[in-house]
Amino acid sequence: MSARPVKHSVTLRGHRTSVSLEDDFWIEFRAIAAEKDMPINALVAEIDVARGVNMGLASAIRLYVLHTLKDRLPKLA
């Protein structure tokens, strides 16, 4: 497992691009896509549309993973 970001190729709007993510984020991101029964590129496209122009794609994916995992935690009263 790498603590440094690793480039992963994805297709976004018909073009190949790469996103640099740490292994832990990439593993969780792929697991989330599988749970949603979505191709990884489709989930990347959803995140891309929602991220706006002031955030990089890798950051948006990291935050998506973080929020998804946080939503699964039991809520404290």
Side-chain angles (χ1 to χ4, degrees):
M1 221 176 290
S2 173
R4 292 183 153 213
V6 176
K7 286 189 179 198
H8 300 276
S9 293
V10 295
T11 301
L12 188 58
R13 293 185 303 270
H15 294 78
R16 296 293 285 171
T17 189
S18 63
V19 59
S20 296
L21 291 172
E22 296 78 5
D23 285 342
D24 289 343
F25 279 105
W26 185 252
I27 290 165
E28 289 302 323
F29 186 55
R30 288 181 55 88
I32 292 165
E35 288 170 14
K36 292 175 147 262
D37 197 28
M38 291 180 76
I40 197 85
N41 292 326
L43 187 51
V44 168
E46 270 189 20
I47 292 167
D48 182 55
V49 167
R51 74 181 164 119
V53 295
N54 294 324
M55 181 182 299
L57 183 57
S59 295
I61 291 171
R62 284 185 193 94
L63 288 174
Y64 179 85
V65 169
L66 175 66
H67 291 295
T68 299
L69 295 176
K70 280 179 67 175
D71 287 345
R72 293 179 182 171
L73 295 174
K75 305 295 182 211
L76 299 175

